[in-house]
Amino acid sequence: MAQASTTPGKKLPFVPGAVLLAFVLVAAIWAATYWSAEARMRRATARVVRLVEKKGEESPVALGLSAHRLGAQLAADAVLELEGYGALATGRQEIVQLYANIRNSLDEIAFADPRISAVALQDGAVQVFVDAHYRLAGAGDAQEGDGKAVLRWVKGEDGWQIERARLTPDPANAGNRVWP
């Protein structure tokens, strides 16, 4: 068994070099997966989910800031669709207005344990899938269910933005007129 020498100028045995190489390899793989477009869009989508959540009443200033932050995540020609209904709003301004109206009418918007996955598309876009248990409450009524969202993120002059969002409510609530 070879022992490392304590005399200066002698190199350590091969094993520490292999450990260093393995560490560098693991670090490179982690960096590649952390900075990939899919990973960045998963994190951006998680921020959007947190932004949309609401607990209790909020001031008009907070509502405006939330709507502005959402608008910054949307492409100018973004489309918001509801499964089984079609387009709810087209264009950043219309989507932000709809968001502000819905948010203003609800006391609570909550998502429990959102599961977010992403896949890079051949055209350079990233498609993100969100599954979450939602709760929407306002004016004494509450809707709960397991919903889904599919977001198409595209990279433009202003960075990554949502080009298309398709929301799918729980099938038990799909025919309910108070959703969303």
Side-chain angles (χ1 to χ4, degrees):
M1 177 190 237
Q3 293 183 346
S5 174
T6 58
T7 59
K10 287 208 168 191
K11 290 188 174 187
L12 295 175
F14 175 73
V15 173
V19 170
L20 179 63
L21 181 62
F23 175 75
V24 168
L25 183 61
V26 168
I29 292 171
W30 173 83
T33 58
Y34 184 81
W35 295 108
S36 71
E38 295 95 330
R40 289 182 296 158
M41 293 310 95
R42 277 193 307 270
R43 290 191 301 273
T45 300
R47 286 190 299 271
V48 169
V49 168
R50 287 190 304 272
L51 172 68
V52 170
E53 289 185 313
K54 176 184 177 185
K55 293 176 174 57
E57 290 187 35
E58 66 184 351
S59 70
V61 172
L63 174 63
L65 284 172
S66 178
H68 176 74
R69 288 181 182 132
L70 179 69
Q73 301 297 315
L74 299 172
D77 58 348
V79 176
L80 175 63
E81 299 175 333
L82 180 62
E83 186 74 29
Y85 179 78
L88 289 177
T90 56
R92 178 186 299 137
Q93 184 175 357
E94 194 174 319
I95 294 171
V96 169
Q97 287 175 346
L98 177 64
Y99 170 77
N101 288 336
I102 291 173
R103 188 172 181 88
N104 194 38
S105 68
L106 295 173
D107 298 322
E108 179 186 6
I109 303 171
F111 302 102
D113 189 32
R115 293 164 305 282
I116 302 171
S117 60
V119 62
L121 303 176
Q122 288 182 346
D123 62 358
V126 175
Q127 195 156 355
V128 179
F129 304 91
V130 181
D131 294 318
H133 184 80
Y134 63 85
R135 176 174 165 73
L136 307 172
D141 291 329
Q143 294 290 323
E144 287 190 55
D146 295 318
K148 299 178 186 305
V150 178
L151 307 176
R152 179 182 166 84
W153 290 83
V154 294
K155 189 169 186 176
E157 291 179 9
D158 296 327
W160 286 96
Q161 294 181 315
I162 300 169
E163 178 184 69
R164 182 172 295 275
R166 186 176 67 241
L167 307 176
T168 305
D170 192 314
N173 294 332
N176 194 334
R177 291 183 178 212
V178 297
W179 198 96

